[in-house]
Amino acid sequence: MQYRRFGNKYFVRVDRGEEIIASLERLCGQEGISLAEVEALGAVDDFSVGLFDVEEKKYHGNHFEFPAEIVSLWGTVTTKDGKFYQHIHMSAADKEGRVFGGHLVSARVSATCEMTVDVIPGFTVERKFDEDVGLNLFEFVD
Ligand code: ZN
């Protein structure tokens, strides 16, 4: 991974073989980022995405191993109990153009991943587990 900062925005190159979420966590740790929007494109060859079923309160994961283009990747960096917390969704297309996606668990880069991280310096949004929904939701404390 290599990156440069321009104002409040980082341009990040995640390299072949690197995992996207681990790379983002490393960037945020090194740069002290606690609130940001994340976008990316690129190519992956091993990724896990899924769906959280609110009724069942259960996560259904799907693992894919084939070359795929990231069609969209968007997410947030916030904090939970003061620690790094990411929430990213991704969709990726196979060679027939079929798209698979969902809540991103992991994705290994096959060629390159071009990520931008738009930081709001000096702020964070905390998360708190919501019993009703079964997820860690934004918790705004003023
Ligand atoms: Zn999600």
Side-chain angles (χ1 to χ4, degrees):
M1 175 180 68
Q2 295 184 21
Y3 57 85
R4 291 290 182 277
R5 180 178 181 166
F6 305 97
N8 291 331
K9 190 165 265 195
Y10 287 82
F11 274 61
V12 185
R13 187 184 97 190
V14 186
D15 291 320
R16 184 180 171 86
E18 292 181 319
E19 200 282 312
I20 290 175
I21 289 177
S23 300
L24 176 64
E25 182 166 12
R26 192 151 58 89
L27 170 77
C28 291
Q30 287 171 358
E31 297 296 310
I33 296 167
S34 59
L35 185 61
E37 274 184 70
V38 181
E39 291 182 288
L41 54 74
V44 294
D45 59 6
D46 185 308
F47 61 105
S48 294
V49 288
L51 165 84
F52 182 80
D53 188 308
V54 177
E55 297 307 315
E56 290 182 73
K57 297 211 179 357
K58 196 170 159 229
Y59 181 79
H60 299 273
N62 292 305
H63 181 230
F64 300 103
E65 286 182 53
F66 50 75
E69 295 281 354
I70 299 171
V71 175
S72 68
L73 182 153
W74 192 88
T76 56
V77 171
T78 53
T79 55
K80 180 160 192 304
D81 303 319
K83 295 195 178 74
F84 171 84
Y85 190 102
Q86 53 72 31
H87 187 195
I88 293 172
H89 287 195
M90 184 183 90
S91 56
D94 71 8
K95 63 179 190 289
E96 275 85 40
R98 290 175 300 198
V99 174
F100 301 88
H103 177 100
L104 182 62
V105 176
S106 70
R108 184 178 69 197
V109 174
S110 61
T112 189
C113 171
E114 300 182 354
M115 181 188 286
T116 57
V117 180
D118 205 355
V119 179
I120 302 166
F123 291 93
T124 192
V125 169
E126 261 287 317
R127 287 186 179 263
K128 192 178 173 195
F129 184 75
D130 184 285
E131 296 283 349
D132 186 41
V133 180
L135 292 169
N136 297 312
L137 306 183
F138 286 166
E139 175 78 357
F140 299 109
V141 284
D142 289 308

